[in-house]
């Protein structure tokens, strides 16, 4: 039976069609959207999507890991956690000049935004000093900047903003009720505090979650409710499909039905009409048909390239071929990399410069 809205609540279809941005969606209203007939849900999501975006434009980004592995967090999905033996080696923080070289090469190849990620619970002062200079130097090239560094307090967020950081990524991962089943080393309130600090500092927010970690349907609705409550909504909302990495506690969790995943994309689009909904981790395991349906449901952002931090991502040529089949094109307004040349240049530089002299150890106390 479809979920029922409260007697005094407007019909879910009416709510979905309203142009106003809402932050007060109830859990019952969101569950009612999830329960709509599939065709009705995608139709409504398409209406909302077309009211705010070019339906055939996709934001394309690249992401460089500037420090990998040895993270003290115990996130059960993550191969970078120091708590699990996943075969992922500990890497050091890339030195500033090498990051700038790679950013410059990316820009010359057509990139307009450069994204950097580090496996930390929170950046330490000496590491933050390096990161701040990275941001400033990359920003000086005329590139848009984005980072994910773990938790940041008000002072760290302010300093990152002053250095020129445009976007900060910090996912909520799952619902408040299920969160303790996935992570114990950082609270849900910690994550919300970081997002508040980022917003207060004037940066744009990238925040979403991971589906397929054994959560209940209500947890997926509750995750989206938490994102909707953020004012303003996150500019970017990555919806990740769990990548089951051997050695992590979730390596044997039951697969999520692809149609359930598509429903979440569609509901996210309806709830956050002006946000970019990013089809993020897990794309390599998705068929072309599933990805096409995700775009139809309102996804309009992807990470482009061979790797996504440490997990696989569809190769550039496969993405370009899929775009051609679907008649999609990169969105120029806020793209990190508009074509395969930028990703290829960046990947080549990483492989060429990964010698030990190019790094310093950011994983040691």
């Amino acid at each position: 039976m479809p979920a029922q809205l409260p007697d005094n609540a407007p019909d879910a279809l009416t709510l979905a069609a309203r142009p106003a941005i809402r932050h007060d969606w109830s859990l019952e209203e969101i569950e009612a959207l999830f329960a709509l007939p599939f065709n009705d849900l995608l139709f409504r999501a398409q209406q909302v999507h077309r009211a705010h975006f070019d339906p055939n434009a996709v934001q394309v980004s690249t992401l460089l890991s500037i420090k990998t592995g040895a993270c003290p967090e115990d996130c059960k999905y993550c191969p970078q956690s120091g708590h699990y033996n996943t075969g992922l080696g500990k890497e050091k923080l890339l030195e500033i000049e090498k990051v700038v070289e790679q950013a410059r090469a990316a820009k010359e190849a057509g990139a307009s935004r450069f994204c950097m990620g580090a496996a930390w619970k929170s950046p330490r002062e000496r590491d933050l000093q390096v990161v701040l200079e990275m941001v400033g130097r990359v920003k000086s090239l005329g590139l848009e900047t984005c980072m994910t560094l773990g938790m940041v307090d008000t002072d760290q967020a302010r300093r990152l903003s002053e250095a020129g950081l445009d976007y900060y990524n910090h996912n909520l991962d799952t619902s408040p009720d299920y969160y303790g089943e996935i992570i114990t080393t950082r609270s849900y309130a910690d994550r919300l505090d970081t997002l508040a600090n980022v917003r207060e500092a004037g940066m744009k927010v990238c925040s979403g979650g991971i589906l397929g970690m054994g959560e209940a349907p209500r947890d997926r609705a509750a995750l989206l409710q938490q994102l909707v409550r953020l004012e303003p909504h996150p500019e970017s909302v990555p919806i990740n499909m769990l990548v089951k990495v051997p050695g992590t506690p979730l390596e044997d969790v039951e697969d999520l039905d692809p149609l359930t995943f598509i429903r979440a994309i569609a509901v996210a689009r309806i709830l956050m009409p002006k946000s970019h909904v990013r089809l993020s981790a897990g794309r390599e395991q998705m068929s072309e048909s599933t990805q096409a349906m995700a775009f139809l449901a309102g996804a309009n952002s992807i990470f482009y390239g061979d790797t996504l931090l440490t997990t696989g991502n569809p190769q550039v040529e496969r993405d370009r071929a899929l775009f051609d089949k679907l008649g999609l094109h990169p969105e120029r307004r806020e793209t990190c990399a508009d074509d395969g040349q930028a990703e290829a240049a960046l990947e080549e530089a990483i492989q060429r410069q990964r010698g030990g002299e190019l790094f310093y150890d950011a994983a040691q106390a």
Side-chain angles (χ1 to χ4, degrees):
M1 289 292 292
Q4 297 297 313
L5 289 168
D7 291 340
N8 62 347
D11 179 77
L13 297 182
T14 302
L15 289 169
R18 286 182 180 173
I21 302 297
R22 292 184 57 197
H23 301 275
D24 62 348
W25 286 85
S26 71
L27 194 56
E28 291 75 20
E29 289 170 345
I30 297 172
E31 288 181 308
L33 289 176
F34 269 102
L36 287 171
F38 191 74
N39 287 345
D40 290 345
L41 176 59
L42 262 62
F43 178 68
R44 290 297 176 178
Q46 269 282 301
Q47 286 183 310
V48 173
H49 186 58
R50 289 171 179 269
H52 297 280
F53 293 98
D54 176 347
N56 297 310
V58 177
Q59 182 192 66
V60 179
S61 310
T62 61
L63 178 60
L64 170 67
S65 179
I66 60 173
K67 184 266 176 184
T68 301
C71 181
E73 302 277 35
D74 67 352
C75 308
K76 290 184 179 179
Y77 55 81
C78 187
Q80 300 203 61
S81 172
H83 293 258
Y84 316 124
N85 181 16
T86 63
L88 182 67
K90 176 180 65 179
E91 293 182 357
K92 303 171 184 180
L93 183 66
L94 275 157
E95 288 189 354
I96 295 167
E97 290 300 329
K98 303 308 172 183
V99 173
V100 173
E101 284 180 26
Q102 292 164 26
R104 184 177 293 111
K107 181 183 179 182
E108 290 173 355
S112 60
R113 183 173 162 197
F114 195 71
C115 308
M116 297 158 275
W120 288 319
K121 181 172 185 176
S122 181
R124 296 171 299 178
E125 180 59 29
R126 72 164 186 165
D127 298 327
L128 186 62
Q129 291 289 343
V130 177
V131 166
L132 291 172
E133 187 168 348
M134 282 182 187
V135 171
R137 295 283 300 279
V138 172
K139 185 76 170 180
S140 71
L141 299 176
L143 287 163
E144 196 171 48
T145 55
C146 54
M147 277 195 164
T148 178
L149 309 170
M151 295 186 296
V152 291
D153 59 28
T154 54
D155 181 66
Q156 290 170 325
R158 175 188 58 78
R159 292 163 67 189
L160 286 165
S161 180
E162 290 175 351
L165 190 62
D166 299 299
Y167 285 81
Y168 195 85
N169 167 256
H170 199 66
N171 288 335
L172 294 180
D173 286 350
T174 188
S175 72
D177 288 344
Y178 194 63
Y179 183 81
E181 298 296 319
I182 302 298
I183 304 158
T184 66
T185 51
R186 183 190 314 184
S187 73
Y188 213 80
D190 289 334
R191 291 184 181 267
L192 292 172
D193 287 345
T194 287
L195 293 177
N197 295 337
V198 167
R199 201 50 106 178
E200 182 181 346
M203 289 180 283
K204 296 178 181 178
V205 167
C206 174
S207 187
I210 305 171
L211 307 186
M213 298 191 293
E215 74 281 352
R218 172 158 277 216
D219 292 309
R220 294 189 278 275
L223 165 65
L224 295 180
Q225 183 188 39
Q226 290 294 316
L227 294 168
V228 165
R229 286 178 175 175
L230 298 176
E231 297 191 34
H233 293 155
E235 282 78 9
S236 180
V237 180
I239 304 297
N240 300 276
M241 175 81 84
L242 175 68
V243 178
K244 296 188 285 188
V245 179
T248 63
L250 297 180
E251 63 175 306
D252 295 320
V253 72
E254 184 178 353
D255 289 342
L256 186 70
D257 186 330
L259 293 183
T260 299
F261 182 82
I262 299 301
R263 282 185 178 274
I265 293 283
V267 174
R269 166 53 61 217
I270 292 169
L271 298 178
M272 292 168 279
K274 294 184 178 181
S275 302
H276 280 82
V277 176
R278 177 170 292 155
L279 183 60
S280 198
R283 276 204 308 125
E284 187 171 22
Q285 288 90 339
M286 296 179 193
S287 67
E288 286 190 344
S289 297
T290 297
Q291 292 185 64
M293 200 172 297
F295 293 129
L296 182 65
N300 64 336
S301 178
I302 63 168
F303 275 119
Y304 200 49
D306 296 336
T307 58
L308 184 58
L309 285 180
T310 60
T311 57
N313 204 33
Q315 294 181 351
V316 170
E317 289 305 318
R318 286 174 53 194
D319 282 340
R320 295 177 70 178
L322 180 60
F323 272 37
D324 286 344
K325 287 181 182 179
L326 300 179
L328 301 176
H329 57 86
E331 180 189 83
R332 296 284 175 173
R333 183 168 55 89
E334 292 183 324
T335 54
C336 291
D338 290 331
D339 54 43
Q341 290 183 332
E343 174 62 26
L346 189 57
E347 183 66 22
E348 181 181 357
I350 294 169
Q351 296 303 324
R352 188 175 62 249
Q353 300 168 358
R354 197 172 281 283
E357 73 278 5
L358 305 184
F359 301 80
Y360 85 82
D361 197 341
Q364 299 297 324

